[in-house]
Amino acid sequence: MQFMLRIEVSLPPDMAEDAKAALRAREHARGTELIEQRTLLRIWRIVGRIANFSVWQAPTLEALHDALTTLPMFPYMKIDVTPLIDHPMTAVAERAHGRTETHT
Amino acid sequence: MQFMLRIEVSLPPDMAEDAKAALRAREHARGTELIEQRTLLRIWRIVGRIANFSVWQAPTLEALHDALTTLPMFPYMKIDVTPLIDHPMTAVAERAHGRTETHT
Amino acid sequence: MQFMLRIEVSLPPDMAEDAKAALRAREHARGTELIEQRTLLRIWRIVGRIANFSVWQAPTLEALHDALTTLPMFPYMKIDVTPLIDHPMTAVAERAHGRTETHT
Amino acid sequence: MQFMLRIEVSLPPDMAEDAKAALRAREHARGTELIEQRTLLRIWRIVGRIANFSVWQAPTLEALHDALTTLPMFPYMKIDVTPLIDHPMTAVAERAHGRTETHT
Amino acid sequence: MQFMLRIEVSLPPDMAEDAKAALRAREHARGTELIEQRTLLRIWRIVGRIANFSVWQAPTLEALHDALTTLPMFPYMKIDVTPLIDHPMTAVAERAHGRTETHT
Amino acid sequence: MQFMLRIEVSLPPDMAEDAKAALRAREHARGTELIEQRTLLRIWRIVGRIANFSVWQAPTLEALHDALTTLPMFPYMKIDVTPLIDHPMTAVAERAHGRTETHT
Amino acid sequence: MQFMLRIEVSLPPDMAEDAKAALRAREHARGTELIEQRTLLRIWRIVGRIANFSVWQAPTLEALHDALTTLPMFPYMKIDVTPLIDHPMTAVAERAHGRTETHT
Amino acid sequence: MQFMLRIEVSLPPDMAEDAKAALRAREHARGTELIEQRTLLRIWRIVGRIANFSVWQAPTLEALHDALTTLPMFPYMKIDVTPLIDHPMTAVAERAHGRTETHT
Amino acid sequence: MQFMLRIEVSLPPDMAEDAKAALRAREHARGTELIEQRTLLRIWRIVGRIANFSVWQAPTLEALHDALTTLPMFPYMKIDVTPLIDHPMTAVAERAHGRTETHT
Amino acid sequence: MQFMLRIEVSLPPDMAEDAKAALRAREHARGTELIEQRTLLRIWRIVGRIANFSVWQAPTLEALHDALTTLPMFPYMKIDVTPLIDHPMTAVAERAHGRTETHT
C-alpha cells in the first residue's frame, strides 16, 4: 500500500543554528531507518523550497502514521497524504524500469 | 532531470462511450511509448479521482513539454509541474531500493 | 482500514427527470450491495447540499477505488478521500457505543 | 441530531512538554466523559495530521457548543461543524452494521 | 434551533424569460408557506448579487433539509448552512428589539 | 440601512485570563449600549467558533464604522461587512414575524 | 453614501457579434443615465480585463441595488460591493483635488 | 497614469499606543505631501477594516513605487496594485462630475 | 514602462481544428507585429500548460490595454498584469547580459 | 534551461535596521555573483511589494536549487518556480530584441 506525501517543513526562524543542525542529523538518521524498513521508498526535494514529495509504503494506515510521528521534524511539518493505486500504465512502467518498492 | 506531475483529466460529460474508449486506447499506447523512451518513469492513480501523480524524466524542459503535448488526452488535462532534485535521503533510498530511473 | 469520504454530486442540469430517477435507483442498488459487502459502513447527507460524508472500509486501496468506480454516479462525483486511523479516544467510544464496522 | 466535525489542533510550538502532556491527559479525561454522555459518538485521527474527524450528537445546538467549549484544548482548535441528516442509504447501513449512536 | 444560510442562485443563462418568471412565482409561493410555517424567519438580499442571507428555524436538521429541497429553485442554489446559538448579547438584543422568531 | 457582519475574534493566546475577562466585560457593556441605541439589532454565536453573525443598522456608513471601532475587541476582530436590502420575501416575513428592527 | 464596486463581465462566448454590440450600446446608454443621475460617479477599466472599478453613490442601499439591476449587462456581471467612508486623508485630498461627487 | 490600490495595514498588536499615534501622525503628514504633489488623488476607508482603496497617479511606475516606500507605515502594509485606464464611460462621468485628478 | 503578464488561454473544446489553426496563425501574425513595435519584448511558454509569461513594454497603460485587445485570442485569455520596476540588481544584470528592451 | 521565479521576501518585523542593511548588502553581493555566473539573468521588482519576478538559467535543477540556497535572504523567501520553454513567438522576439541570456 503506497502513498504520495507532500511535506513542507517550517522551522522556527529563531531556532539556533546548532539546534537546527542537530535536528537535521536526527531526522536523517530516522529517515535512514525508515528507508531500511521499506517504509520510505522514494524522496525528492522540491526545487526552491524546504519541502519534498515522497512515496511511502505501509501495511496499514496506522503503520504510516506511526512512522511519520517518529520523525524528529514531525512537529514542524505540514503533511498532505494522497493514497495511491496502480494506474493502467503502472505495470508497463514496472516492466520497463522496475517497481518502486523492491520485492524480496 | 526529473519532475513530479499531478494530472487531472476532465473528459466532456457528453463524449460518447466508444469515443472515450478509443481515446483511452490511444493514450495508453502513447504512454507506453513514453515509458519505453524513459520519459515517463512512474505513474500512480489517485484513489477516488481521474487523476494521477507521475514522475517524468527529460533531458530538457522542451523535451518534457513536447512529450506531454503528444498525449492524446492533453487537451483534457490540467497539469501541475514540480521540478525535483535529490533530497539528502535520496541516495540512501536508492542504495536500499534502486533508483527510480534505470541507468543503462 | 477506514477512510472518510466527502462526495459532492453534480448531475447535469439538463438531465431528464426520469434519467435522474433511474440513475438514483441504480446508485441505491449498488450502494446497498457495497453496504452488504461491508465496504460502505456509514453515510450521512450534508444538510442543504447534494453531498455526503461517508465512512468506507477496504482491505486495500485498490478495493476502495474499485468500489467507488462501480457507483453509477461516479462520473458525476467529486470525491475527497481522507485516510483514518484510531484516535486515542476511539477505543473509549467503541466500548461505549460499539465499533463502526461490525466484526464477524 | 448529529454533526460531523473536523478539528485541527495547533499547540504553541514553545509549550513545555509536560504542559502538553498534562493538557492531553485532561483532554482525554473530558473526551471520555463526553463519550459516556453520548455526546461524542465517533472519532478518527487523520493520518499525518494533528487533526480528527468526529461525529457528535446533541439534543440542541447549544449543547453541542457547550460541550466543545469544555474541551481543555478548545482554545487551540479550529473547528468546522457540518450538520448531518440521514442519507437514503443510512437505513440500509444501519440494518447491516448497527446505528452509530446506541439506542437505549 | 436556528441557522444562518447564505444562498447563491445561478439560473441557466439560456433559461427563457417566462420560465424564469414562472420559477420565481413558484419560489415566492413556497417561500411564503415556509414563512407562515415559521421555518423561514428572516431573509435579506445581498446588494449587487442574486444571493441572500436568511435565518431558518427548524425543530430538526431533517426538517431544515426537507424545507430547503421543497424550494423550486433548490437545483440552482449553492447553500452554506451555519448553525447558530445565542450569543451572550442575544438576550440583551431581544429585550430591546424582540426575538427573531415569534413565540406563540 | 442594515448590514450583515461576520466577525471572527482572535485574542492573543498569551493574554492573561483576567485581562481577557476584563476585556469581555467591557465588550459586553459597549455591545449593550449599541443595542440600546438600535445600532446592533441581532447577534448569533457560530457553533464551535469564537465568531458571530450580527445584523447592524446605521443611518450612514460612517455611523456603522464608528460604532465598530468603539468595540473594545475591535483590534482583535476580522470583520466582513455585507450590505443588505429587502428581499421580495422580506415583507412577507415581517408580516408574519415582525420586523428585525423595532420601529418607534 | 459611496461604494467601491469591482465588476467582472463574462459574456457568453457564443453570443453573436451584433448582439454583443447592441448590448454594449444599451449598457452605455444606461450607464450615461446613471452618471447624469449622480449614481455612477467614477469608472476605470482594469488593464487586460473586461472588468472595472467604479465608485457609486446612492442615498440608500436599495437605490444602489436597483441601479445595478437596471444595467443591461447585469445578468453577465459578478459584482463585489465594498462600502466606503472618508479616510482621515480624504478631506486633505478633497481640498487639493476636489471631491469625487459634485456638490450642487 | 492612474492605479487603484487596496492597502491593508497590520500594526503589531504589541506596539505601544504612543508609538502607534506617532506613526499615524507621520503617515498623515507624508500622505498630505503626496496629495499635494498630486500623487495620491483619492482615498476611502473600507468600512469595518483598517484598510483603504486609493487612487494614485504617477508619471512612471518607479515614481509610484518610490512614493509608496516613503510611507511610514509601508513596512506594515499589504498593497495590491491594479493599473487603470479610461472606461468608455469615463469621459461621460468626467463631463458630468469633473476628472479625478485636477488639471492645471 | 514594463509589465509581467501571465496569460492562460482556454479555447472552447468544441472549436474545430481548422478554426483553431486559423486563430493561431492570426495570433502569431499579430504577436509578430507587437514584437516589431517593441510592445511585446519577451515571451516564454509555461511547461505543461497553454499559458505563458511575457514581458510587455508600453509608453502608457492605454497602449498596453489596446495592444492586448488586438490579440485574436484575447476573448479566450485570462490575463494577470503585474507592473514592474527595476530591482537594485537590474542594473547589474543589464551590464552583464544587456537590457531586456533594445534601446534605439 | 530557464525558469521564472516569483520571490516574496518577509523579513522579521523586529529585525534591527543595521542587521537588515547588512543582510541586504550580502544579498546584493551574492546576487551580483550569480548574475556574473549567468545564473540570474533578469530581475524586476514588483511595484508596491517586497517581491520580484526573475529569470534564472541553470544547466540542471540541482544547480538552480543550489544557487537559490546560497542567497543570504533564502530563509526569508517564499519562492515559486515555473519551468519555461520557448513560445512559438520567442524566436521572433529574439530576432527583434536579442535573447535574454547572452550567448558567448
Side-chain angles (χ1 to χ4, degrees):
Chain A
M1 197 163 60
Q2 298 191 354
F3 304 86
M4 183 67 73
L5 272 65
R6 191 185 183 291
I7 302 180
E8 289 260 2
V9 180
S10 302
L11 297 187
D14 57 351
M15 183 182 273
E17 273 311 309
D18 53 350
K20 280 190 196 172
L23 182 61
R24 283 192 196 107
R26 288 195 296 130
E27 181 77 9
H28 191 84
R30 182 60 191 138
T32 300
E33 290 172 1
L34 290 170
I35 287 168
E36 288 166 356
Q37 296 167 13
R38 298 181 183 289
T39 301
L40 172 53
L41 295 182
R42 285 289 177 278
I43 183 164
W44 300 266
R45 180 156 280 176
I46 295 175
V47 172
R49 297 259 177 162
I50 310 299
N52 66 72
F53 274 111
S54 43
V55 181
W56 295 69
Q57 182 176 250
T60 64
L61 297 172
E62 287 76 13
L64 174 61
H65 187 78
D66 289 351
L68 292 171
T69 57
T70 66
L71 291 171
M73 286 194 187
F74 180 74
Y76 308 106
M77 289 175 165
K78 182 179 168 299
I79 303 179
D80 291 300
V81 176
T82 306
L84 299 174
I85 58 170
D86 279 5
H87 183 278
M89 283 193 285
T90 304
V92 181
E94 285 178 14
R95 280 194 296 273
H97 310 308
R99 187 158 168 82
T100 296
E101 74 275 47
T102 307
H103 299 288
T104 53
Chain B
M1 198 163 59
Q2 298 190 353
F3 305 86
M4 183 66 72
L5 271 66
R6 192 186 183 289
I7 302 181
E8 288 261 1
V9 180
S10 301
L11 298 186
D14 58 351
M15 184 182 273
E17 275 310 309
D18 54 348
K20 281 189 194 172
L23 183 61
R24 283 192 195 108
R26 288 195 296 131
E27 181 78 10
H28 191 84
R30 182 60 191 136
T32 300
E33 290 172 0
L34 290 169
I35 287 169
E36 288 165 356
Q37 296 165 12
R38 299 181 183 288
T39 302
L40 173 53
L41 295 182
R42 285 287 178 279
I43 182 165
W44 300 266
R45 179 157 282 177
I46 295 175
V47 172
R49 297 259 177 162
I50 310 300
N52 67 71
F53 274 110
S54 44
V55 180
W56 295 70
Q57 181 175 251
T60 63
L61 296 173
E62 287 76 12
L64 174 61
H65 187 78
D66 289 350
L68 292 171
T69 57
T70 66
L71 292 171
M73 285 193 188
F74 179 74
Y76 308 106
M77 289 174 164
K78 181 179 169 300
I79 303 179
D80 291 301
V81 175
T82 306
L84 301 174
I85 58 170
D86 280 5
H87 183 277
M89 282 190 288
T90 304
V92 182
E94 286 179 13
R95 280 194 297 273
H97 310 306
R99 188 159 166 80
T100 296
E101 75 273 48
T102 307
H103 299 288
T104 52
Chain C
M1 198 163 59
Q2 298 191 354
F3 304 86
M4 183 66 73
L5 272 65
R6 191 187 184 290
I7 303 181
E8 289 259 1
V9 179
S10 301
L11 297 187
D14 58 351
M15 183 182 274
E17 275 309 309
D18 54 349
K20 280 189 195 172
L23 183 61
R24 283 193 196 107
R26 287 196 296 132
E27 182 77 9
H28 191 84
R30 182 60 191 135
T32 299
E33 291 172 1
L34 290 169
I35 288 169
E36 288 165 356
Q37 296 166 13
R38 299 180 183 288
T39 301
L40 173 53
L41 295 182
R42 285 288 178 277
I43 183 165
W44 300 267
R45 180 156 279 176
I46 296 175
V47 173
R49 298 260 177 162
I50 310 300
N52 67 71
F53 274 111
S54 43
V55 181
W56 295 69
Q57 182 175 251
T60 64
L61 297 172
E62 287 76 12
L64 174 61
H65 187 78
D66 289 352
L68 292 172
T69 58
T70 65
L71 291 172
M73 285 194 188
F74 180 74
Y76 307 106
M77 289 173 164
K78 181 178 169 299
I79 303 178
D80 291 300
V81 176
T82 305
L84 300 174
I85 58 171
D86 279 6
H87 183 278
M89 282 191 288
T90 304
V92 181
E94 285 178 14
R95 279 194 296 273
H97 309 307
R99 189 160 167 80
T100 297
E101 75 274 49
T102 308
H103 299 290
T104 53
Chain D
M1 198 163 58
Q2 298 190 354
F3 304 86
M4 183 67 73
L5 271 66
R6 191 187 183 289
I7 302 180
E8 289 260 0
V9 180
S10 301
L11 297 187
D14 57 351
M15 182 182 275
E17 273 312 308
D18 52 350
K20 280 190 197 174
L23 183 61
R24 282 192 196 107
R26 288 195 296 131
E27 181 77 9
H28 191 83
R30 181 63 191 134
T32 300
E33 290 172 1
L34 290 169
I35 288 169
E36 288 165 356
Q37 296 166 13
R38 299 182 183 287
T39 301
L40 172 53
L41 295 182
R42 285 288 179 277
I43 183 165
W44 300 267
R45 179 156 280 175
I46 295 175
V47 173
R49 296 259 175 161
I50 310 301
N52 67 72
F53 274 111
S54 44
V55 180
W56 295 68
Q57 182 176 251
T60 63
L61 297 172
E62 286 76 12
L64 174 61
H65 187 78
D66 289 351
L68 293 171
T69 57
T70 66
L71 291 171
M73 287 193 186
F74 179 74
Y76 308 106
M77 290 175 165
K78 181 179 167 300
I79 303 178
D80 291 300
V81 176
T82 306
L84 300 174
I85 57 170
D86 279 6
H87 183 278
M89 284 193 285
T90 303
V92 181
E94 286 178 14
R95 280 194 296 273
H97 309 309
R99 187 158 170 83
T100 296
E101 75 273 48
T102 307
H103 299 288
T104 54
Chain E
M1 197 163 59
Q2 298 191 353
F3 304 86
M4 183 67 73
L5 272 66
R6 191 188 183 288
I7 302 181
E8 289 260 359
V9 179
S10 301
L11 297 186
D14 57 352
M15 183 182 276
E17 274 310 308
D18 53 350
K20 280 189 196 172
L23 183 60
R24 282 192 197 107
R26 287 196 295 132
E27 182 78 9
H28 191 83
R30 182 62 192 134
T32 300
E33 291 173 0
L34 291 169
I35 288 169
E36 288 165 356
Q37 296 166 11
R38 300 183 182 287
T39 302
L40 173 52
L41 295 182
R42 284 287 178 279
I43 182 164
W44 301 266
R45 179 156 279 176
I46 296 175
V47 172
R49 298 260 176 161
I50 309 300
N52 66 72
F53 274 110
S54 44
V55 180
W56 296 68
Q57 180 175 254
T60 64
L61 297 172
E62 288 75 12
L64 174 62
H65 187 78
D66 289 351
L68 293 172
T69 58
T70 65
L71 292 171
M73 286 193 187
F74 180 74
Y76 308 106
M77 287 174 165
K78 181 178 169 301
I79 303 178
D80 291 300
V81 176
T82 305
L84 300 174
I85 57 171
D86 278 5
H87 183 278
M89 283 191 287
T90 304
V92 181
E94 285 179 14
R95 279 194 295 274
H97 309 308
R99 188 159 168 82
T100 296
E101 74 274 47
T102 307
H103 299 288
T104 53
Chain F
M1 198 164 59
Q2 298 191 354
F3 304 86
M4 182 67 72
L5 271 67
R6 190 187 184 289
I7 301 181
E8 289 260 0
V9 179
S10 301
L11 297 186
D14 57 351
M15 182 182 275
E17 274 309 310
D18 53 349
K20 281 190 196 173
L23 183 60
R24 282 192 197 109
R26 288 196 295 131
E27 181 77 8
H28 191 82
R30 181 62 191 134
T32 299
E33 290 172 0
L34 291 169
I35 287 168
E36 288 165 356
Q37 296 166 12
R38 300 183 182 287
T39 301
L40 173 53
L41 295 182
R42 285 288 179 278
I43 183 164
W44 300 266
R45 180 156 279 175
I46 295 176
V47 173
R49 297 258 175 163
I50 310 300
N52 66 73
F53 274 112
S54 43
V55 180
W56 295 69
Q57 181 176 252
T60 64
L61 297 172
E62 287 75 14
L64 173 62
H65 187 77
D66 289 352
L68 293 171
T69 58
T70 65
L71 291 171
M73 287 194 186
F74 180 75
Y76 307 107
M77 290 174 164
K78 181 179 168 300
I79 303 179
D80 291 301
V81 176
T82 305
L84 300 174
I85 57 170
D86 279 5
H87 183 278
M89 283 192 287
T90 303
V92 181
E94 285 178 16
R95 279 193 296 273
H97 310 307
R99 188 158 169 83
T100 296
E101 75 274 49
T102 306
H103 299 288
T104 53
Chain G
M1 196 163 60
Q2 297 192 353
F3 305 85
M4 183 66 73
L5 272 65
R6 193 187 182 287
I7 302 181
E8 289 260 0
V9 179
S10 301
L11 297 186
D14 57 352
M15 182 182 276
E17 274 310 309
D18 53 349
K20 281 190 196 172
L23 183 61
R24 283 192 196 107
R26 288 195 295 133
E27 181 78 8
H28 191 84
R30 181 63 191 134
T32 299
E33 290 172 0
L34 290 169
I35 288 168
E36 288 165 356
Q37 296 166 12
R38 300 181 182 288
T39 301
L40 173 53
L41 294 182
R42 284 288 178 279
I43 182 165
W44 301 266
R45 179 156 280 175
I46 296 175
V47 173
R49 298 259 175 161
I50 309 300
N52 66 73
F53 274 111
S54 43
V55 180
W56 295 68
Q57 181 176 253
T60 64
L61 297 172
E62 288 75 13
L64 173 62
H65 187 77
D66 289 352
L68 293 172
T69 57
T70 65
L71 291 171
M73 287 194 186
F74 180 75
Y76 308 106
M77 290 174 164
K78 181 178 168 300
I79 303 179
D80 291 300
V81 176
T82 305
L84 301 174
I85 57 171
D86 279 6
H87 183 278
M89 283 192 286
T90 303
V92 181
E94 285 178 15
R95 279 194 295 273
H97 310 308
R99 188 158 167 82
T100 295
E101 73 273 47
T102 307
H103 299 288
T104 52
Chain H
M1 199 163 59
Q2 298 190 353
F3 304 87
M4 183 67 71
L5 271 67
R6 191 187 183 288
I7 302 181
E8 289 260 1
V9 179
S10 301
L11 297 186
D14 57 351
M15 183 182 274
E17 274 310 309
D18 54 348
K20 280 190 197 173
L23 183 61
R24 282 192 196 108
R26 287 196 295 132
E27 182 77 9
H28 191 83
R30 181 62 191 134
T32 299
E33 290 172 0
L34 291 169
I35 287 169
E36 287 165 356
Q37 296 166 12
R38 301 182 181 286
T39 301
L40 173 53
L41 296 182
R42 284 287 178 278
I43 182 165
W44 301 265
R45 181 156 279 175
I46 296 176
V47 173
R49 298 258 176 163
I50 309 300
N52 66 72
F53 274 111
S54 44
V55 180
W56 295 69
Q57 181 175 253
T60 64
L61 297 172
E62 287 75 13
L64 173 62
H65 187 78
D66 290 351
L68 293 171
T69 57
T70 65
L71 291 172
M73 287 194 187
F74 180 74
Y76 308 106
M77 289 175 165
K78 180 178 169 300
I79 303 179
D80 291 300
V81 176
T82 305
L84 300 174
I85 57 171
D86 279 6
H87 183 277
M89 283 191 287
T90 304
V92 182
E94 285 177 15
R95 279 194 296 273
H97 310 306
R99 188 159 167 82
T100 296
E101 74 274 48
T102 307
H103 299 289
T104 52
Chain I
M1 196 163 60
Q2 297 191 353
F3 305 86
M4 183 67 72
L5 272 64
R6 191 186 183 289
I7 302 180
E8 289 260 2
V9 180
S10 301
L11 297 186
D14 58 351
M15 183 183 274
E17 274 310 308
D18 53 349
K20 281 189 196 173
L23 183 61
R24 282 191 196 108
R26 287 196 295 133
E27 180 79 9
H28 191 84
R30 181 62 191 135
T32 299
E33 291 172 0
L34 290 169
I35 287 168
E36 288 165 356
Q37 296 166 13
R38 298 181 183 287
T39 301
L40 173 53
L41 295 182
R42 285 287 179 277
I43 183 165
W44 301 265
R45 179 157 280 177
I46 296 175
V47 172
R49 298 259 175 161
I50 310 300
N52 66 72
F53 274 111
S54 43
V55 181
W56 295 69
Q57 182 176 252
T60 63
L61 297 172
E62 288 75 14
L64 174 61
H65 186 78
D66 289 351
L68 293 172
T69 57
T70 65
L71 291 171
M73 287 194 187
F74 179 75
Y76 307 106
M77 290 174 164
K78 182 180 168 299
I79 303 179
D80 292 300
V81 175
T82 306
L84 301 174
I85 58 171
D86 280 6
H87 183 278
M89 283 192 286
T90 304
V92 181
E94 286 179 13
R95 281 194 295 273
H97 310 308
R99 187 159 167 81
T100 296
E101 74 273 47
T102 307
H103 300 288
T104 53
Chain J
M1 199 162 59
Q2 296 191 354
F3 305 87
M4 183 66 72
L5 272 65
R6 191 186 183 290
I7 302 181
E8 289 260 1
V9 179
S10 301
L11 297 186
D14 57 350
M15 183 182 273
E17 274 311 309
D18 54 349
K20 281 190 196 173
L23 182 61
R24 283 193 196 107
R26 288 196 295 131
E27 181 77 9
H28 191 83
R30 181 61 191 136
T32 299
E33 291 172 0
L34 290 169
I35 288 168
E36 288 166 355
Q37 296 166 13
R38 299 181 183 287
T39 301
L40 173 53
L41 295 182
R42 284 288 177 279
I43 182 164
W44 300 266
R45 180 156 281 177
I46 295 175
V47 173
R49 297 259 177 163
I50 310 300
N52 66 73
F53 274 112
S54 44
V55 181
W56 295 69
Q57 181 175 252
T60 63
L61 297 172
E62 287 76 12
L64 174 61
H65 187 79
D66 289 352
L68 292 171
T69 57
T70 66
L71 291 171
M73 286 193 187
F74 180 74
Y76 308 106
M77 288 174 164
K78 181 178 169 301
I79 303 178
D80 291 300
V81 176
T82 306
L84 299 174
I85 58 171
D86 279 6
H87 183 278
M89 282 191 287
T90 304
V92 181
E94 286 177 15
R95 279 194 297 273
H97 310 307
R99 188 159 167 80
T100 296
E101 75 274 47
T102 308
H103 300 288
T104 52

